[in-house]
Amino acid sequence: MHPATPPSAPPPVPAHGPPRRVLVVEDDPTVAEVVTGYLSRAGYTTAHAADGFAALDRAAEFRPHLVVLDLMLPGIDGLEVCRRLRRGDGPAVPVVMLTARGEEADRILGLELGADDYVTKPFSPRELVLRIGSVLRRAEAAPPPAAPAAVLRAGDLCADPGGRRADRAGRALSLTAREFDLLVFLMRHPGRVFSREELLHQVWGWEFGDLSTVTVHVRRLREKIEADPAAPRLVRTVWGAGYRFDPAADEPPEDGPLTGGGLP
């Protein structure tokens, strides 16, 4: 399955700063050639690996700013490559997963491992370049000036933005970085409804992207903070509108059951 190549040229990379290094891990030579070609013409420095073991060796040598990672690879698959890339002590390299498989289970696994975006074949190389640029801008954005961050509380749920820790009833919660960011954002805006588009922009920093990314993260967050994820009281669905954080977690859920067209 190959990318659909549009006739338009790839978007340029901002001129300031040195070229960003992107490692493309893809066993299909045609796909790899198209992707690396578009990235090179957009101003990126690229390297290519055709299997999982080569990807890990190349990443250690090339020290990429971002990895485009296919899930279906010889040797070890992309999920295991992502898992091993995340084992280092330094800052995690951003990962955009690329796969011919669109099943939600694969998407969930990739997101749980910390993938920053997910693109399904066939894809537009131009869109892929735009997504890579968006992920890099977010990853390289200067952090805000350090300031004491207030600990957030809602009943027995507690989130410490400064220490990046969360617990409920004194029990530490094992949250991924993105799940923690989502929880903190919602807790800072109690009672306000946010659409998936707004959350994608505010939490992920994306101007566009797969809205199911938000859906998956909300579902995973509920599994970790709700007493009953099937009847959430903290992160509630507002039918046809989005999600709302309700700090009054001891009240019964007021949102009715969802029907077609609503949000999970």
Side-chain angles (χ1 to χ4, degrees):
M1 190 174 295
H2 305 295
T5 306
S8 54
V13 175
H16 59 81
R20 299 298 182 258
R21 299 182 299 275
V22 178
L23 173 61
V24 178
V25 184
E26 169 61 63
D27 64 323
D28 186 314
T30 301
V31 174
E33 182 179 1
V34 170
V35 172
T36 56
Y38 261 75
L39 288 170
S40 296
R41 290 194 294 276
Y44 293 98
T45 299
T46 64
H48 171 238
D51 64 66
F53 291 112
L56 296 173
D57 292 340
R58 199 73 179 95
E61 299 169 358
F62 186 58
R63 300 180 65 84
H65 295 94
L66 182 142
V67 177
V68 177
L69 180 61
D70 190 13
L71 285 188
M72 298 293 291
L73 294 170
I76 55 176
D77 65 20
L79 290 173
E80 180 61 24
V81 171
C82 186
R83 188 177 291 111
R84 296 190 188 187
L85 288 175
R86 289 289 189 263
R87 287 179 183 171
D89 295 329
V93 60
V95 172
V96 175
M97 286 198 163
L98 189 65
T99 180
R101 299 186 299 178
E103 290 85 354
E104 185 181 48
D106 295 324
R107 188 181 302 115
I108 290 173
L109 284 172
L111 295 173
E112 286 182 331
L113 289 172
D116 296 85
D117 203 351
Y118 188 101
V119 180
T120 304
K121 301 176 186 176
F123 61 92
S124 160
R126 178 178 174 82
E127 179 184 351
L128 177 61
V129 173
L130 287 170
R131 285 180 180 240
I132 288 170
S134 176
V135 170
L136 282 172
R137 283 191 299 274
R138 183 177 71 253
E140 297 172 356
V151 174
L152 304 169
R153 301 182 185 277
D156 61 2
L157 177 65
C158 174
D160 176 6
R164 294 192 69 81
R165 297 185 299 267
D167 63 76
R168 181 158 197 192
R171 180 178 60 85
L173 299 173
S174 178
L175 303 178
T176 66
R178 195 64 68 197
E179 289 167 354
F180 182 84
D181 292 342
L182 177 61
L183 174 62
V184 167
F185 180 80
L186 291 172
M187 291 184 74
R188 282 176 171 164
H189 302 86
R192 178 174 169 184
V193 177
F194 291 94
S195 68
R196 290 187 297 175
E197 290 87 349
E198 289 175 315
L199 291 173
L200 199 67
H201 176 68
Q202 296 290 341
V203 179
W204 277 258
W206 300 353
E207 296 300 330
F208 61 91
D210 185 353
L211 295 180
S212 65
T213 298
V214 177
T215 307
V216 170
H217 277 80
V218 168
R219 182 181 306 156
R220 299 297 297 178
L221 181 61
R222 282 171 168 168
E223 290 174 358
K224 297 177 180 181
I225 70 171
E226 299 281 1
D228 181 3
R233 295 187 178 186
L234 287 167
V235 181
R236 303 196 183 194
T237 297
V238 179
W239 188 85
Y243 302 105
R244 181 186 73 235
F245 184 80
D246 189 348
D250 56 338
E251 295 179 1
E254 63 188 41
D255 299 321
L258 296 179
T259 57
L263 297 171

